[in-house]
Amino acid sequence: MHYACDHLHLRSRDAVAAASFYIATFGAREIKRVGTDPVQRIVLDLGGLAVFIEQAPAEIAPAATTPCLGIEHVGLRVADIEAAMADLTARGVTVRTGITERGPGLRIAFVEGPDGALIEILERTSV
């Protein structure tokens, strides 16, 4: 059996605003929109990963605080973590943890996306 990643599915209190965040902040590209008034789902291409952002009903529970069980975060790899974090900070993105060394050739930081989504920014270098 062969498995391949198909998509990441997010729920948001405001799918349009969440999609706009991923487009403006990380260069995602909108692929498809389902529904018009209201929008039900927006599909993005985020660096080759399909991201479905579904409009959540008002009564849905807020995101769990991290660390948590289940899917905790999405990781986005960059070539220069200092430049990426400077750019994100300049854009007003909330930084949860600054740059830390996680072993030889791995540096990470965490920022916050819409609805409390945790996003890891990571730089891998050969050692």
Side-chain angles (χ1 to χ4, degrees), residues 24-76:
T25 307
F26 300 115
R29 190 170 49 90
E30 185 173 325
I31 303 298
K32 181 169 117 178
R33 209 173 263 229
V34 178
T36 53
D37 192 23
V39 168
Q40 297 167 344
R41 176 182 289 178
I42 299 174
V43 179
L44 303 177
D45 175 335
L46 176 60
L49 174 64
V51 177
F52 297 174
I53 304 177
E54 182 179 333
Q55 181 65 44
E59 67 275 2
I60 200 161
T65 57
T66 55
C68 62
L69 296 174
I71 296 173
E72 184 188 74
H73 67 268
V74 60
L76 301 176

